[in-house]
Amino acid sequence: QVHLVESGGASVQPGGSLRLSCVVSESMMHVYRYIGWFRQAPGNEREGVASIYIGDGSTLYSDSVKGRFTASLDNAKSMVTLQMNSLRPEDTGVYYCAASFGTLYSQLLQPWGYEHWSQGTQVTVSS
């Protein structure tokens, strides 16, 4: 059963912007506690870049994206978005949204803190 459907990946030039969307099944939106955003470049481990608490929309970001990426929650649409600005070539990778039933704060940007995953979408930043 698919609980997370992601969209919005594309190719952009350095300095550009993209918005990724993650639609969460309504039945699960009331069960999940966190939605995380992850990315994986070829040959690299999956890296957590942002996490949002569904209860109040509070967010956590990795140092690599802090100040450039913004995660937000739209409960009415059962959707979480990741606005990515000032994109850099090192932001290139497959981006995933993921859902957690609950995890430790120290694990909010770790893949093992999340149980359900989207299909992933490619983001390429290149001139």
Side-chain angles (χ1 to χ4, degrees):
Q1 188 173 1
V2 177
H3 299 295
L4 305 166
V5 179
E6 185 184 1
S7 61
S11 294
V12 296
Q13 294 187 339
S17 296
L18 275 178
R19 172 175 286 188
L20 303 182
S21 297
C22 178
V23 177
V24 183
S25 63
E26 289 189 32
S27 61
M28 297 304 293
M29 194 68 165
H30 305 290
V31 179
Y32 295 140
R33 296 195 66 189
Y34 300 97
I35 300 294
W37 289 96
F38 293 81
R39 66 187 181 190
Q40 189 165 20
N44 289 0
E45 294 184 352
R46 194 164 294 189
E47 172 195 13
V49 298
S51 180
I52 187 164
Y53 176 50
I54 291 177
D56 63 7
S58 57
T59 53
L60 176 69
Y61 299 97
S62 67
D63 289 343
S64 61
V65 307
K66 196 174 297 181
R68 300 187 298 122
F69 289 14
T70 302
S72 58
L73 176 66
D74 187 336
N75 273 309
K77 296 182 180 179
S78 194
M79 185 167 68
V80 178
T81 59
L82 184 68
Q83 177 67 40
M84 305 186 294
N85 298 328
S86 302
L87 284 163
R88 305 166 179 168
E90 54 264 37
D91 294 319
T92 295
V94 178
Y95 281 69
Y96 302 88
C97 60
S100 173
F101 293 108
T103 188
L104 298 175
Y105 181 83
S106 61
Q107 295 182 353
L108 285 177
L109 295 181
Q110 302 297 333
W112 50 84
Y114 294 79
E115 289 82 12
H116 293 160
W117 292 81
S118 68
Q119 79 280 14
T121 188
Q122 178 69 43
V123 171
T124 302
V125 184
S126 173
S127 55

